[in-house]
Amino acid sequence: MSAEVGPAHPAPAGSFFLAGTMQGARAGAEMADQSYRAALAARIAARRPGAVIHDPGALMRAWLAEHPGALAAHAALAATPTVHRAGLAPELLALTAAFHRLTRLAAESDVCVAWLPGHEPSMGTAAEMLSAHRAGRAVVAVTAMRQNLAVLACATVIVPDLDAFDAWLAHPGDGG
């Protein structure tokens, strides 16, 4: 008597946090290309219908639209040789609080997807990865940086590109 294999059940939708380089090593308000966010979201939506996708890029843009003084206060830091947290303008304290809320959201999501193209590190992405890792969440790094200690220490799985990420979404237990 052979055991019958039941219908394939899709993996639970869950929640995904899209970590990735926003500013990186760029000065001021200059941003990295953010098109990866739509590409990741599309892959997640295709494989995990109903998934909740938290995009910190969109969340930060919405927050900044409500707090227009934050960008000017942030820009003023360029002319400040020594920065003391206790002396930060209220707009900057609010901006740093928004950053902390995003790192908590990474820890509250089921999966933190960290997009780190090439070999450009991102301190914000590292903070989000560490937060998710410490909370026991899955951290999927999409990067060539397999030897970067922060990536290696925090990632559940490291995949090289979008296609490998898609394969992981299809079969998360395989590790990618």
Side-chain angles (χ1 to χ4, degrees):
M1 192 165 160
S2 65
E4 287 186 38
V5 175
H9 296 287
S15 60
F16 290 78
F17 182 90
L18 304 182
T21 306
M22 283 191 211
Q23 184 182 20
R26 291 156 193 80
E30 185 182 345
M31 300 288 284
D33 176 16
Q34 299 295 292
S35 62
Y36 67 89
R37 295 183 181 282
L40 290 171
R43 300 281 178 122
I44 293 166
R47 293 280 184 188
R48 307 283 174 89
V52 174
I53 301 171
H54 301 290
D55 179 351
L59 295 171
M60 187 57 84
R61 280 190 307 279
W63 187 89
L64 288 169
E66 295 174 9
H67 301 86
L71 285 177
H74 184 257
L77 290 174
T80 308
T82 303
V83 176
H84 295 275
R85 182 168 177 79
L88 288 178
E91 298 87 359
L92 289 174
L93 291 173
L95 181 61
T96 61
F99 173 80
H100 287 294
R101 282 192 299 279
L102 291 175
T103 60
R104 282 193 302 274
L105 184 56
E108 294 165 0
S109 299
D110 296 313
V111 180
C112 176
V113 181
W115 176 265
L116 293 163
H119 289 275
E120 181 181 9
S122 166
M123 293 178 72
T125 304
E128 292 159 344
M129 291 174 69
L130 180 60
S131 183
H133 169 77
R134 285 185 172 167
R137 306 304 187 181
V139 178
V140 181
V142 183
T143 186
M145 292 191 286
R146 288 183 274 310
Q147 292 180 303
N148 179 287
L149 189 54
V151 173
L152 192 59
C154 294
T156 307
V157 62
I158 303 168
V159 297
D161 54 33
L162 275 175
D163 289 338
F165 174 64
D166 191 61
W168 178 85
L169 282 168
H171 303 286
D174 294 348

